[in-house]
Amino acid sequence: MRALRILLIVGVILVGLFVLADRLAVGFAEDEVADKLRTRENLADAPDVSIKGFPFLTQVASGSLDDVEVGIKDYEATAGAEGTSIRIADLNANMKGVEFSGDYSSATAASATGTASVSYAELLKAAKSEPTQVAPGVTANVVGLSDGGNGKIKVAVEATVLGTKLPNPVYVLSSVTAQGDTVRVKADTLPDFGGADIAENRARAITDFQQQIDGLPGGIQLDSVQAAKDGVEIAVKGSNVRLAG
């Protein structure tokens, strides 16, 4: 009995040491991947990297990680025009089948899915902010975006008719879609600018707009988009996504 008790104690100690070594190793790997990703994407701060699955050391031996989660705050994505960018408040991606080198200098995920959020204030920059003539004596411009409910964006349009600014913005509900690398906002119905007769194409030149979002980390791309409480939530996806190297 004494020998059995000693054997059990030794076994528990060995398991504990293995778990400790495994957790220390995964922590080191997470830091290394985060640092490589920060360097590759020129990030101001290291992203959050979480390597899932236990034990980690057996994954290391195989040279492939089953599941890696990456979170980046305030990512500056390319906005299409040279020198312009759009701030993504939160970018979270779940990477599957991450193949890596021994020193983590290169790491590539077989597939990735995730989400990116863009605030309404940031998306508003893509709309025409300066008053534009839409009919003789009538100018208008978009002054605000907010959640319209049921997956719609509420677009506030300010108008001036014959030199008199309308006392309140005109609101329209708009649909938002993702096409390729571009988020598009299109009014479901046209606004009424004080009864002025305005051609549809001139009205839509104000209400409808688009925002290109390119250069996401590792080559992930837009998949779909929907309106949310504080901004638009974008689903992203990719294959052969490079985390480092």
Side-chain angles (χ1 to χ4, degrees):
M1 288 295 293
R2 177 181 173 83
L4 180 59
R5 190 180 304 115
I6 293 174
L7 185 61
L8 289 174
I9 293 173
V10 171
V12 169
I13 292 173
L14 290 176
V15 170
L17 290 174
F18 175 79
V19 172
L20 177 61
D22 192 81
R23 294 303 88 191
L24 289 174
V26 76
F28 172 79
E30 288 170 345
D31 290 343
E32 285 294 303
V33 173
D35 186 62
K36 300 296 184 185
L37 184 56
R38 179 187 62 78
T39 300
R40 173 180 170 80
E41 299 298 334
N42 195 28
L43 303 176
D45 300 303
D48 293 327
V49 175
S50 178
I51 299 175
K52 305 298 182 181
F54 179 83
F56 167 71
L57 293 174
T58 58
Q59 297 182 66
V60 171
S62 69
S64 177
L65 303 177
D66 298 332
D67 190 351
V68 178
E69 292 182 359
V70 176
I72 303 175
K73 298 285 187 182
D74 297 328
Y75 181 79
E76 296 289 334
T78 305
E82 184 176 352
T84 62
S85 62
I86 181 169
R87 186 174 63 86
I88 297 177
D90 290 289
L91 176 60
N92 298 285
N94 182 242
M95 314 287 188
K96 300 290 188 181
V98 180
E99 303 285 340
F100 63 94
S101 61
D103 60 354
Y104 304 103
S105 60
S106 66
T108 303
S111 63
T113 56
T115 59
S117 60
V118 177
S119 70
Y120 285 123
E122 192 71 12
L123 186 61
L124 180 62
K125 296 177 182 178
K128 287 187 176 180
S129 58
E130 296 297 324
T132 301
Q133 182 172 308
V134 293
V138 182
T139 61
N141 62 293
V142 175
V143 295
L145 303 176
S146 59
D147 181 19
N150 297 318
K152 303 292 184 178
I153 295 178
K154 184 165 69 172
V155 180
V157 182
E158 193 172 75
T160 298
V161 180
L162 300 177
T164 301
K165 183 180 292 185
L166 298 183
N168 298 303
V170 177
Y171 294 99
V172 295
L173 290 178
S174 298
S175 298
V176 57
T177 57
Q179 298 179 9
D181 62 359
T182 302
V183 173
R184 301 181 186 275
V185 178
K186 182 177 182 180
D188 295 346
T189 58
L190 298 180
D192 178 9
F193 297 126
D197 185 18
I198 300 174
E200 179 176 350
N201 64 330
R202 287 185 171 270
R204 289 199 176 279
I206 301 298
T207 61
D208 299 359
F209 59 92
Q210 62 186 39
Q211 174 64 67
Q212 185 176 353
I213 301 177
D214 200 3
L216 294 176
I220 56 177
Q221 299 174 331
L222 307 188
D223 186 21
S224 62
V225 61
Q226 64 179 4
K229 180 181 178 181
D230 299 316
V232 292
E233 297 291 338
I234 303 168
V236 299
K237 65 179 181 179
S239 57
N240 296 321
V241 176
R242 297 184 66 183
L243 296 175

